[in-house]
Amino acid sequence: MDPQTYMDIATVVTKLKMYPYFDIAHYTLMCLAVRDDVHPHSQQGSGSNAVPFSRKHPLSSWLSSMLICFAGSIIANFLLGEPVITPFKDHQSILTATAVWYLVNFAPFDLVYKLAKILPIKLVLSVLKETQRAHKIYHGVLVAAKLYPSAYIIIVLVGTIKGAGSGVMKNLDRLIRGIWIPGSNEILQPTFVTKASLVASIIFLCERLNMINIPHPLVYFGVVLFFVYFKLSSVILGIHDPFAPLENLFCAIFMGGMWDALRRATVKKPAEEDETKDPRADVIKSKEDKKKE
């Protein structure tokens, strides 16, 4: 591709307005996630039980969906000392998210839910959603950098939360729906979305510190392509965590994995020593003891 054409495309992507198409895609996928997560331990699958739940507990279903839709802003406001209820003052966004929630859960013949599950439509929604994720991370880094210019950890943390807030909010979201799984959270088991948001936040921070000498549209467009590529790989190929091999290698070298393996290879366990011992030795020893007596 011609470099100038690539630069023009990157500039257009940088200036995209998120409302309404990108926001609607985000709300749709978040409402689908809440619906599919209603009964995570059901043997019949969560989707089949989600419609009865939303009809028996519509308020819980709606509030849960709204928390997930605006999770990044709510948690980021909490960390920055802003009112956590601020996202709910945007009536346009709330009404749009509510309309999407209603259609996902109460559309005639469950049409919207079934359409959103069709692979081509899901791919389009995922591309729009990941583009919005990059937008939110970038603006999260900008806001935190203005408030705390030299606090790099805070800047990266806020950017990560803006991009992966729904995962962090999941425990509270489940609690509202009567589900409590404390052993499953983003700190114990961080997902690829959280890791990728962390990487994107660091990239945007390095750009602000002039450590990356590349025009901003190219950096931004590169982050968008990064999210879109791995999301499509997850949906189509089932590659859910490309960072796993690197994490395993890092842990093996720096987190004691190599030394544990070396210790297991050199130190015999008591059970192994018992297995290598001659089983006739005990019998011979007992006979000798009897002769001495």
Side-chain angles (χ1 to χ4, degrees):
M1 182 184 293
D2 179 43
Q4 185 58 43
T5 304
Y6 188 83
M7 184 67 179
D8 293 339
I9 296 174
T11 303
V12 170
V13 173
T14 305
K15 296 179 180 179
L16 285 174
K17 301 296 183 183
M18 295 297 106
Y19 188 86
Y21 303 111
F22 296 90
D23 286 347
I24 289 176
H26 167 68
Y27 299 150
T28 302
L29 291 177
M30 293 299 96
C31 291
L32 287 175
V34 171
R35 171 170 172 165
D36 289 340
D37 190 53
V38 169
H39 297 289
H41 299 300
S42 175
Q43 295 180 353
Q44 297 179 351
S46 56
S48 60
N49 294 321
V51 173
F53 177 87
S54 63
R55 289 176 181 169
K56 292 179 181 178
H57 310 283
L59 178 60
S60 174
S61 175
W62 176 81
L63 181 57
S64 176
S65 298
M66 295 304 105
L67 284 179
I68 291 296
C69 287
F70 303 99
S73 298
I74 293 172
I75 301 176
N77 287 350
F78 173 76
L79 294 176
L80 295 174
E82 301 290 336
V84 296
I85 205 170
T86 299
F88 290 91
K89 74 177 184 179
D90 186 353
H91 296 162
Q92 186 180 55
S93 297
I94 292 296
L95 290 176
T96 304
T98 300
V100 171
W101 164 81
Y102 181 85
L103 292 174
V104 167
N105 290 280
F106 301 101
F109 307 107
D110 216 10
L111 185 61
V112 174
Y113 178 82
K114 293 177 180 178
L115 286 175
K117 286 291 185 177
I118 298 174
L119 183 58
I121 297 178
K122 188 174 183 180
L123 292 178
V124 173
L125 293 174
S126 298
V127 170
L128 297 176
K129 160 68 178 173
E130 297 308 313
T131 303
Q132 191 215 42
R133 191 190 306 279
H135 174 86
K136 292 194 294 186
I137 293 173
Y138 174 68
H139 284 274
V141 169
L142 283 184
V143 171
K146 290 179 180 178
L147 295 175
Y148 304 96
S150 301
Y152 302 139
I153 294 178
I154 294 177
I155 295 172
V156 171
L157 178 61
V158 172
T160 303
I161 290 297
K162 291 287 284 186
S166 59
V168 180
M169 184 70 78
K170 185 173 290 185
N171 281 57
L172 177 60
D173 157 60
R174 285 176 170 173
L175 185 62
I176 290 175
R177 291 181 279 116
I179 302 171
W180 177 239
I181 310 177
S184 175
N185 60 69
E186 285 296 308
I187 298 177
L188 284 175
Q189 300 171 341
T191 60
F192 169 73
V193 170
T194 301
K195 301 171 189 176
S197 298
L198 174 64
V199 172
S201 299
I202 294 174
I203 291 174
F204 286 134
L205 175 61
C206 291
E207 182 197 8
R208 285 189 60 84
L209 298 176
N210 297 320
M211 298 173 64
I212 300 178
N213 295 321
I214 301 175
H216 169 67
L218 294 182
V219 175
Y220 184 91
F221 190 45
V223 172
V224 171
L225 291 179
F226 170 76
F227 279 113
V228 170
Y229 174 78
F230 284 109
K231 182 61 178 181
L232 296 183
S233 299
S234 174
V235 175
I236 299 175
L237 303 177
I239 302 175
H240 297 295
D241 193 354
F243 289 135
L246 296 176
E247 292 175 4
N248 294 336
L249 179 63
F250 179 84
C251 291
I253 298 175
F254 298 105
M255 298 297 178
M258 182 170 59
W259 305 114
D260 291 341
L262 183 62
R263 178 176 55 82
R264 287 194 297 267
T266 55
V267 179
K268 290 185 177 181
K269 296 181 180 179
E272 294 177 352
E273 294 177 355
D274 293 341
E275 291 177 358
T276 57
K277 186 178 180 181
D278 189 353
R280 294 175 296 178
D282 293 336
V283 177
I284 296 172
K285 185 177 180 181
S286 62
K287 288 182 179 181
E288 292 177 352
D289 293 340
K290 287 181 180 179
K291 288 181 181 180
K292 292 179 180 180
E293 291 176 358

